[in-house]
Amino acid sequence: MAHSLDIAMFCIHSCPLGQLGTRDTGGMNVYVREVSRHLGQMGHHVDIYTRAHDPYDAQVNSPFENVRVIHIQAGPMEDMGKMAQYSYLPDFALNMETFCMRYGANYDLVQSHYWLSGLMGQKYAFQWSVPHVVMFHTLGAIKNNLPLGEAESAVRLAAEYDLMHGAQRIISATALEKEELGRLYDADMRKISVIPCGVNTALFQPQDKSAARNALGLGAGKIILFVGRIEALKGIENLIYALSLLHYDARAKLFVVGGDEYSRPDVARLETLARELGVDAEFSGSVAHGLLPTYYSAADVSVVASYYESFCLVVLEALACRTPVVSTRVGVAPAVIRNGYNGFLVDDNSPQSLAVGLEAALCGGLKDADEIRRSVLDYSWEQTACRVEAEYRGILLKGG
């Protein structure tokens, strides 16, 4: 039997156990949590280093077998923007040095998630003379090419470029993202491995639609569901405009799951827009991850209106709950959505395109619900973790 690995995993800007749907938590948190959990079950030891966000958190806790989350203080113990956290990276490094001297640090390799974490991962991989594996989850250069008017910093772009060329291995969630890494950052395509994300099919199981609606206090009529953070990148404004164009059912309701106190101004603006357009929209805020299957099961269709997604777990989660998906051609959607089978792909996230896709889905004619769920059963977190482990062993076999 191959020996177990000791892995240092950096997820600095966002606590891997944080509430999903808030400003800096989403698919990356699910990824880190699920992959580390499965690696731990496989006998490997994973230490996840993150910035201390809450003074009530213990410095070290063990959420899963062989997995530790280690909170390192860097600036005030509160939520803050990514660039604010960047300014506290020297504090993070200093306090991590203190932790490692006190408790020891002996790892086979380092895995970093996102560019902020990558900066620390690169430092310690060099210091410990071990390989560095990076997964970016989102890319600044792609965001800067979108019509959102929110330019990513030169600091981020430079860091991403340096990490692409300094890491021993880059993990990409889709083949499309791999192509973008080469095109936008001149990354060495030979060291990029495509490993899709997964879905927890034990959690994301279909529920009786009527029971799910009763549990959420939802009545009759068509329910269109959006799950995700409240930000311009997600295209929620275009989605609201799309609902105003629907002819299929005047009772269609948009249910938005996601958001926190930082998104209140955006939510207020979107609520005003919905009222002005006569769209029935309800914003629930973020919910516990374990409640999402109830929301998916209550919906008639789940919508991804994003300009850009590196993978988009929402697509897999909704389909696993037998809920069809209307999505732009982002992330995993083109790989799993088959028009007229388990949903519809739209060419862009304009209101007109989204409305066409929604009407097609609401009018029915899709495969039966069991077939919709079967379309994602090949995606599992166990499989993702096994492929990640294989990458780790391959790098170590080559000596980094």
Side-chain angles (χ1 to χ4, degrees):
M1 178 182 292
H3 75 281
S4 63
L5 302 176
D6 291 297
I7 303 153
M9 194 173 286
F10 286 83
C11 185
I12 292 175
H13 84 282
S14 182
C15 178
L17 303 181
Q19 178 74 10
L20 300 179
T22 56
R23 176 173 61 172
D24 289 326
T25 57
M28 184 181 73
N29 297 69
V30 178
Y31 184 99
V32 172
R33 189 168 60 206
E34 291 292 337
V35 170
S36 64
R37 178 169 69 91
H38 282 283
L39 288 172
Q41 290 174 352
M42 294 158 66
H44 305 299
H45 299 89
V46 183
D47 282 349
I48 304 172
Y49 289 94
T50 189
R51 189 182 72 83
H53 294 75
D54 189 332
Y56 294 102
D57 286 335
Q59 183 170 32
V60 179
N61 61 44
S62 301
F64 313 116
E65 178 185 10
N66 295 324
V67 177
R68 301 191 303 174
V69 177
I70 301 168
H71 300 92
I72 302 295
Q73 188 167 354
M77 288 193 190
E78 60 187 31
D79 290 332
M80 62 178 71
K82 299 181 182 71
M83 288 310 299
Q85 293 184 55
Y86 172 77
S87 66
Y88 288 111
L89 288 183
D91 290 353
F92 186 97
L94 179 63
N95 290 324
M96 183 165 170
E97 293 283 358
T98 300
F99 177 87
C100 291
M101 283 190 294
R102 180 176 301 170
Y103 298 104
N106 185 20
Y107 299 104
D108 293 297
L109 57 82
V110 171
Q111 160 96 63
S112 299
H113 297 274
Y114 196 65
W115 69 274
L116 276 172
S117 302
L119 293 174
M120 287 293 97
Q122 181 171 259
K123 167 184 169 60
Y124 285 99
F126 178 79
Q127 182 172 314
W128 296 329
S129 299
V130 298
H132 186 203
V133 181
V134 178
M135 187 171 185
F136 289 95
H137 297 275
T138 63
L139 294 167
I142 292 181
K143 287 188 172 184
N144 281 353
N145 287 335
L146 299 174
L148 300 178
E150 300 177 359
E152 292 295 320
S153 69
V155 170
R156 173 178 181 173
L157 298 182
E160 289 178 339
Y161 183 89
D162 289 344
L163 290 167
M164 303 245 185
H165 293 269
Q168 279 67 48
R169 180 71 65 190
I170 301 168
I171 294 178
S172 171
T174 66
L176 176 60
E177 184 184 42
K178 178 177 178 177
E179 293 174 7
E180 298 286 16
L181 291 170
R183 182 175 67 85
L184 297 172
Y185 294 89
D186 194 29
D188 183 349
M189 304 296 275
R190 295 169 298 179
K191 67 178 183 181
I192 304 174
S193 298
V194 177
I195 302 178
C197 302
V199 61
N200 183 346
T201 53
L203 172 62
F204 289 95
Q205 294 193 40
Q207 302 174 10
D208 177 76
K209 188 177 294 293
S210 295
R213 290 192 173 196
N214 288 338
L216 299 175
L218 298 175
K222 298 295 183 180
I223 300 295
I224 297 168
L225 179 67
F226 169 91
V227 176
R229 295 189 302 277
I230 309 299
E231 58 179 327
L233 183 71
K234 301 295 185 179
I236 306 172
E237 183 173 313
N238 288 356
L239 179 55
I240 291 173
Y241 275 111
L243 263 72
S244 73
L245 302 177
L246 290 183
H247 301 292
Y248 174 74
D249 192 333
R251 296 176 300 155
K253 178 186 182 74
L254 173 63
F255 206 87
V256 177
V257 175
D260 58 11
E261 64 271 22
Y262 298 103
S263 59
R264 285 173 185 166
D266 289 326
V267 169
R269 179 180 58 81
L270 292 169
E271 288 177 330
T272 299
L273 176 64
R275 285 195 298 271
E276 291 174 348
L277 295 175
V279 171
D280 186 3
E282 181 174 339
F283 292 76
S284 72
S286 61
V287 303
H289 194 54
L291 291 178
L292 286 177
T294 301
Y295 286 87
Y296 288 124
S297 297
D300 293 283
V301 60
S302 182
V303 186
V304 174
S306 301
Y307 289 88
Y308 161 59
E309 296 280 351
S310 61
F311 187 81
C312 197
L313 295 177
V314 166
V315 172
L316 300 187
E317 292 170 355
L319 294 175
C321 292
R322 300 194 305 203
T323 301
V325 176
V326 171
S327 177
T328 51
R329 295 180 181 275
V330 295
V332 73
V336 297
I337 295 177
R338 293 165 55 190
N339 287 340
Y341 180 84
N342 56 0
F344 291 92
L345 288 170
V346 295
D347 289 330
D348 57 54
N349 71 346
S350 68
Q352 294 77 14
S353 293
L354 291 169
V356 170
L358 286 169
E359 294 223 0
L362 292 171
C363 286
L366 298 171
K367 288 288 185 180
D368 68 59
D370 288 334
E371 287 294 315
I372 293 176
R373 177 173 166 83
R374 274 195 283 271
S375 66
V376 296
L377 293 184
D378 287 339
Y379 292 83
S380 74
W381 286 117
E382 182 178 11
Q383 182 183 64
T384 300
C386 286
R387 293 183 64 180
V388 168
E389 181 207 32
E391 290 296 326
Y392 291 166
R393 293 201 183 280
I395 295 167
L396 293 170
L397 188 63
K398 295 176 183 176

